[in-house]
Amino acid sequence: DKGTGTKREKLFPLGMNKTTQKAWVFNWEEHSMFELDLKTGKRRKNSLKFHDSSIHSFDVSAHYARPFLNGLVLQVDMNGIYYIDGESSEASLIAEIPYHVTNVAVANDQYVFVRLHFTAHNLCYSRVAGKWVQVPNPIDNIEWACIAYDKLSNSYWVGGVKELYHFDDRFRLIKKYTEEDGMRGFGFLSILIDNAGKVWLNNSEGLITWLEPGTGIVGYLTKKDRYQNNIYFWQITFIK
């Protein structure tokens, strides 16, 4: 920074291992990834190893990285989905996907959802007995933009085009919320559930909506709440 003699960096946190207190961080300028020791602040360059030697850390789509268990789910466009397990530098293959991927979501430390580009059918994977398998899921048929697991109710929330879906723990539809229920905007970008069970959503028009599942009451943040309309993606909250 000017006046301090230090260089300003464009850094993007990807995930954190709570057991080892290590974080994975992406450097946008260098297009590289490093590991950060949260106790000492020391960095270590991450030299990921892929099954395909032509793939390198800079091929990773950082904005689709998701924390999963004590590791990290990564995506390499037109190639596949990978998983880093804890301290390992080996990126194990979840699935080969030679298509454009437009989104990746994880839920309940069990499922990895993959949104494909302009297709009617998406993908879902689960880790069973240490192996990754594709599992059919009702969410595969939804044009979803975000998925969140609700630990309080053991259920799943899925944001789609003008619709919000609520599934139980076996992915049976509980309710679909639409404009008639008070949902506004074209599509939802992110979903968060607070400690009281209230569901928070932001949409492509910068509106932040909240929903009380027990009552079905829907509300919005406004200028009275000192909210300034903006487009927020809430990307960093994946690793809060």
Side-chain angles (χ1 to χ4, degrees), residues 37-55:
D37 188 317
L38 298 178
K39 295 180 180 178
T40 65
K42 293 183 179 180
R43 301 183 182 187
R44 183 171 74 89
K45 186 176 180 180
N46 190 296
S47 300
L48 290 178
K49 298 177 182 178
F50 294 85
H51 77 293
D52 183 344
S53 60
S54 65
I55 302 174

Side-chain angles (χ1 to χ4, degrees), residues 63-112:
H63 48 292
Y64 292 144
R66 300 288 184 264
F68 188 86
L69 294 173
N70 276 326
L72 198 65
V73 170
L74 301 172
Q75 185 258 339
V76 177
D77 198 34
M78 301 292 290
N79 181 278
I81 305 293
Y82 296 84
Y83 176 60
I84 306 174
D85 191 358
E87 290 296 301
S88 176
S89 60
E90 194 82 25
S92 60
L93 181 68
I94 296 176
E96 291 185 359
I97 304 177
Y99 313 106
H100 284 302
V101 170
T102 58
N103 209 340
V104 176
V106 297
N108 195 19
D109 278 341
Q110 184 177 358
Y111 299 101
V112 175

Side-chain angles (χ1 to χ4, degrees), residues 146-190:
C146 46
I147 300 173
Y149 174 65
D150 187 344
K151 294 181 180 180
L152 293 177
S153 63
N154 192 24
S155 61
Y156 299 86
W157 294 91
V158 180
V161 179
K162 293 186 177 182
E163 295 175 331
L164 175 67
Y165 300 82
H166 191 196
F167 292 91
D168 67 9
D169 61 333
R170 297 176 61 184
F171 293 100
R172 294 173 299 193
L173 183 64
I174 298 174
K175 181 175 174 60
K176 180 170 68 174
Y177 296 85
T178 65
E179 289 179 314
E180 295 180 356
D181 299 294
M183 293 293 162
R184 300 179 186 173
F186 181 76
F188 298 106
L189 302 177
S190 308

Side-chain angles (χ1 to χ4, degrees), residues 11-240:
L11 304 179
F12 185 79
L14 303 178
M16 180 177 68
N17 186 322
K18 296 179 181 179
T19 302
T20 62
Q21 289 294 292
K22 178 186 71 175
W24 292 276
V25 183
F26 192 83
N27 187 315
W28 284 110
E29 293 180 336
E30 298 179 1
H31 213 74
S32 62
M33 191 166 66
F34 64 87
E35 296 173 4
L36 175 67
D37 188 317
L38 298 178
K39 295 180 180 178
T40 65
K42 293 183 179 180
R43 301 183 182 187
R44 183 171 74 89
K45 186 176 180 180
N46 190 296
S47 300
L48 290 178
K49 298 177 182 178
F50 294 85
H51 77 293
D52 183 344
S53 60
S54 65
I55 302 174
H56 303 280
S57 296
F58 54 75
D59 293 314
V60 171
S61 301
H63 48 292
Y64 292 144
R66 300 288 184 264
F68 188 86
L69 294 173
N70 276 326
L72 198 65
V73 170
L74 301 172
Q75 185 258 339
V76 177
D77 198 34
M78 301 292 290
N79 181 278
I81 305 293
Y82 296 84
Y83 176 60
I84 306 174
D85 191 358
E87 290 296 301
S88 176
S89 60
E90 194 82 25
S92 60
L93 181 68
I94 296 176
E96 291 185 359
I97 304 177
Y99 313 106
H100 284 302
V101 170
T102 58
N103 209 340
V104 176
V106 297
N108 195 19
D109 278 341
Q110 184 177 358
Y111 299 101
V112 175
F113 299 93
V114 180
R115 180 88 167 86
L116 299 180
H117 186 61
F118 289 122
T119 62
H121 190 76
N122 300 302
L123 305 171
C124 176
Y125 299 91
S126 181
R127 204 178 188 194
V128 180
K131 296 183 179 180
W132 291 98
V133 295
Q134 183 179 350
V135 292
N137 192 295
I139 297 176
D140 294 345
N141 300 314
I142 297 175
E143 292 184 57
W144 61 266
C146 46
I147 300 173
Y149 174 65
D150 187 344
K151 294 181 180 180
L152 293 177
S153 63
N154 192 24
S155 61
Y156 299 86
W157 294 91
V158 180
V161 179
K162 293 186 177 182
E163 295 175 331
L164 175 67
Y165 300 82
H166 191 196
F167 292 91
D168 67 9
D169 61 333
R170 297 176 61 184
F171 293 100
R172 294 173 299 193
L173 183 64
I174 298 174
K175 181 175 174 60
K176 180 170 68 174
Y177 296 85
T178 65
E179 289 179 314
E180 295 180 356
D181 299 294
M183 293 293 162
R184 300 179 186 173
F186 181 76
F188 298 106
L189 302 177
S190 308
I191 302 173
L192 288 176
I193 296 97
D194 65 22
N195 294 333
K198 183 181 289 186
V199 181
W200 295 83
L201 312 102
N202 66 326
N203 66 19
S204 55
E205 298 172 2
L207 182 67
I208 293 182
T209 304
W210 55 262
L211 164 69
E212 291 182 347
T215 63
I217 296 175
V218 175
Y220 318 91
L221 293 187
T222 65
K223 291 182 179 180
K224 293 182 179 179
D225 303 302
R226 298 185 178 181
Y227 171 67
Q228 183 176 351
N229 189 286
N230 207 335
I231 305 298
Y232 299 102
F233 286 91
W234 295 353
Q235 196 82 5
I236 311 305
T237 55
F238 290 129
I239 60 171
K240 66 178 181 178

